[in-house]
Amino acid sequence: MKFIKKRLIRRYAIPVRVYQSNLISDGGAKNGEHILPDASSQPYVEVNEPVIPSSNSSDSDLVYMDSTGATVNYQYEWYSLSKHQVGTVIAIGMTTDDPDGTQLVIVGEDVYNSLADIHIYYLKLNSGELNNDDPNL
């Protein structure tokens, strides 16, 4: 038996900009300075799906354990009806004052497609420190 959650996803959806062909592992460096990954110039598609904070505290991260047993901090969860890769950059909160919004990157996923027609993605702020969970950096 499959639980269909499409109605709930539509009810709590917000605009989400999914950047195409922009899988990020690091922004690189130029002249010894770290460059943050930038997806704003990439092509994108917009969908309406729920993205929620993982905690009530803005300074608190939750931990996701990937298939290798490594732990990854994340700050948001995205409930999506479509398949995306780890490393895909998305944006939420686009306004006329801030057309790029807040950029987030997928750092992990749980696939509930066989049970509920959804993918749950774990998101982290697009800070360029994707592989380092030390909050003091």
Side-chain angles (χ1 to χ4, degrees), residues 101-117:
T102 302
Q103 289 188 1
L104 305 167
V105 65
I106 298 174
V107 293
E109 74 173 309
D110 274 335
V111 179
Y112 288 91
N113 203 21
S114 62
L115 180 64
D117 285 340

Side-chain angles (χ1 to χ4, degrees), residues 9 16 18 23 47 49-54 62-64 72-90 92 104-113 117-125:
I9 284 182
V16 176
V18 182
L23 302 177
V47 295
E49 296 174 334
V51 176
I52 59 170
S54 60
L62 291 181
V63 176
Y64 163 78
V72 179
N73 291 353
Y74 68 95
Q75 297 151 330
Y76 293 86
E77 293 177 10
W78 174 25
Y79 295 84
S80 179
L81 296 172
S82 54
K83 177 79 174 137
H84 303 283
Q85 295 179 8
V86 171
T88 300
V89 176
I90 70 165
I92 60 172
L104 305 167
V105 65
I106 298 174
V107 293
E109 74 173 309
D110 274 335
V111 179
Y112 288 91
N113 203 21
D117 285 340
I118 61 171
H119 299 268
I120 299 175
Y121 296 103
Y122 301 105
L123 308 168
K124 189 173 185 176
L125 287 172

Side-chain angles (χ1 to χ4, degrees), residues 8 24 30 44 87 118:
L8 283 174
I24 290 183
K30 183 176 183 180
Y44 61 86
I118 61 171

